[in-house]
Amino acid sequence: MPHPVTGIGRPIDPRVPSNLFVIAATLAGGAAGFFPALGDGFGDAVWAGVLTGGAGFVAWAVGRELDPDRPATAGVAAVVAIALAFVGDPGLALSGAAILATRILVRTTGVFPTVVDLVVVAGFAAYVATRSAGLPVAVVTGLALLADGRLPGPSTNRVTVAGDLIVVAAIVAALIAGTAVPDPAGVAGWEWLLVGVAVVGAVVVVRPPLVSATADWSDERLDGHRLRAGRVAALAMVAGAAVWGGAVGLAAVAPVSAAMAASLLPLPVPSAASAQS
């Protein structure tokens, strides 16, 4: 099998029910955010729609990495994230970094990151580091590349080198942007629910889970140790954002928390689980 151009890109096939669901949920979430905000101006309404619909999509994408055996997890995560977007602004960049980190670690595509992937991840992580509460999320993204070579499956030295460079670049970018120092705001109300999810999730990821799903580019079953590493990375991002930004940070990574929460639910497992769901 020739190595693809990207080792972390996954297609969205509307013929797959779970993929069709997220397309509909993203559009519905976008509309739900757009129309109520029209009174604030068209530009603000568009942005509100992007945040709301985008939160649902990002939560779905993270959910299918954290629980590849159960497509329902990603669907529930999308709905929860859309609801949470109405009580706190999601940070699509921070949560988007969780997609990259978990996909690298779980390796749901079946192949390691390419040079193209590493350039994209490096640039994206540097940008995330400049956002409020973004530094720990960017650092975890770099650490995901460092961990990739130590987990089961083939990898290359350039992945490890890129991980080192990304961690350093994230710190430098945060220093320049003034986001290198924690600035936590008070956590109250619904944010405590996200803290609870992180605590429960920390207990659940101690043991490597059994996985039935197979990778996108091969028939090989996904590795439980890699899945555990992906879940640990998601937890680390939520915890880091909470420490760095308090309530603002928790709201920013709410789509990740939604995916974590959905993965803890006793949802059904399809008879023929597949990572391509």
Side-chain angles (χ1 to χ4, degrees):
M1 179 191 73
H3 200 289
V5 174
T6 173
I8 57 177
R10 302 187 70 186
I12 304 297
D13 187 348
R15 294 172 298 179
V16 178
S18 62
N19 289 199
L20 180 60
F21 174 83
V22 75
I23 293 172
T26 300
L27 293 175
F34 172 79
F35 288 108
L38 273 175
D40 299 326
F42 183 77
D44 288 341
V46 169
W47 182 238
V50 169
L51 284 179
T52 309
F57 180 84
V58 169
W60 175 86
V62 176
R64 69 174 182 162
E65 302 302 322
L66 299 184
D67 194 359
D69 281 349
R70 303 185 301 172
T73 292
V76 171
V79 174
V80 172
I82 289 172
L84 290 177
F86 288 98
V87 291
D89 289 339
L92 298 186
L94 273 68
S95 296
I99 301 176
L100 300 178
T102 55
R103 192 165 294 173
I104 289 167
L105 290 168
V106 181
R107 196 171 283 183
T108 40
T109 62
V111 292
F112 54 81
T114 65
V115 173
V116 173
D117 295 328
L118 297 178
V119 171
V120 171
V121 173
F124 192 73
Y127 170 74
V128 167
T130 67
R131 315 308 297 168
S132 177
L135 176 58
V137 174
V139 168
V140 172
T141 304
L143 293 177
L145 290 170
L146 289 174
D148 181 68
R150 299 177 179 274
L151 291 167
S155 188
T156 63
N157 288 335
R158 66 170 177 262
V159 174
T160 301
V161 172
D164 286 323
L165 294 176
I166 287 173
V167 172
V168 173
I171 295 172
V172 171
L175 288 170
I176 294 173
T179 56
V181 178
D183 185 23
V187 179
W190 69 274
E191 292 98 348
W192 282 111
L193 294 176
L194 304 183
V195 174
V197 168
V199 171
V200 174
V203 176
V204 171
V205 299
V206 171
R207 295 179 58 190
L210 297 175
V211 196
S212 299
T214 56
D216 291 345
W217 285 79
S218 71
D219 293 328
E220 294 182 5
R221 182 176 295 185
L222 300 182
D223 183 79
H225 291 84
R226 278 192 167 274
L227 179 53
R228 179 177 63 177
R231 291 176 175 178
V232 169
L235 283 166
M237 287 180 165
V238 172
V243 170
W244 234 250
V248 174
L250 281 171
V253 293
V256 183
S257 295
M260 289 167 49
S263 69
L264 300 175
L265 298 175
L267 299 172
V269 179
S271 55
S274 172
Q276 304 192 34
S277 54

